[in-house]
Amino acid sequence: MPAPTISRSARRRTAGILSLTVAAAAVATLLSGCAGAVALEPAADATNPSCADVIVRLPDTVADEQKRETDAQATGAWGDPASVLLRCGVQPYGPTTLPCDNVNGVDWIRDDSDAPTYRFTTFGRTPAVEVVLDSEAVSSSSTLVDLANAISSIPQTDQCLSLDDGTGTSTGTPVPIPAD
């Protein structure tokens, strides 16, 4: 029995449908890759080589949230929607009245003025690293513990010290002192 023949118009129609399907799949793939990127502004000192050291050490998960792609140099993001944002190369803090927390050997200045969004900035490390998190979605302690290894790649030159450590008063004011 001879093979059935397909008319020229039927072949064109099939080829056209196939081409449209492939094109639609390609566009969907491109759009899905772009849709996952978190838009962030790079910090002023984002090109500092120490930031590159931090970024290559960032974990795939932070506070049980998966890492996301970002669109700016020396940044990181986790969660969908993003509940943890990181920028390396921000201006380091000097002495401040904001509280300072040491988490796994990393000193962090804590700014809770926009609670439940908290901003943590490393203290005593240049360049400084800023982490902004939604405390209703993630735990700050888990977040900072998970990031400590990456942040520790920037050498610590100062550490937090409350004034009560030297004066007997309790102010919680971090003051830079040389690290041993």
Side-chain angles (χ1 to χ4, degrees):
M1 175 173 247
T5 58
I6 300 174
S7 71
R8 182 175 279 173
S9 63
R11 278 186 268 165
R12 280 190 204 138
R13 212 178 4 233
T14 302
I17 291 170
L18 182 58
S19 295
L20 285 175
T21 303
V22 170
V27 168
T29 301
L30 287 173
L31 290 177
S32 68
C34 294
V38 177
L40 294 171
E41 289 291 321
D45 198 17
T47 60
N48 188 307
S50 293
C51 285
D53 291 340
V54 169
I55 298 305
V56 299
R57 289 176 172 81
L58 291 177
D60 290 334
T61 58
V62 168
D64 295 325
E65 298 292 338
Q66 291 299 309
K67 189 174 183 183
R68 304 261 311 270
E69 183 180 335
T70 62
D71 68 353
Q73 184 170 353
T75 61
W78 293 264
D80 189 11
S83 52
V84 178
L85 305 174
L86 177 144
R87 292 186 326 140
C88 183
V90 299
Q91 180 69 32
Y93 266 92
T96 179
T97 58
L98 291 172
C100 186
D101 304 312
N102 183 287
V103 179
N104 283 18
V106 177
D107 287 340
W108 295 94
I109 303 295
R110 177 175 19 106
D111 181 352
D112 61 1
S113 61
D114 291 325
T117 300
Y118 286 78
R119 181 176 315 276
F120 293 88
T121 306
T122 56
F123 183 81
R125 296 173 194 267
T126 303
V129 176
E130 172 187 77
V131 174
V132 178
L133 61 89
D134 176 359
S135 67
E136 293 180 341
V138 295
S139 158
S140 61
S141 59
S142 295
T143 299
L144 300 179
V145 165
D146 291 346
L147 293 171
N149 186 49
I151 304 303
S152 294
S153 68
I154 299 174
Q156 182 173 346
T157 56
D158 293 322
Q159 63 187 34
C160 291
L161 173 69
S162 337
L163 287 181
D164 62 331
D165 290 339
T167 65
T169 61
S170 180
T171 63
T173 305
V175 179
I177 62 170
D180 294 342

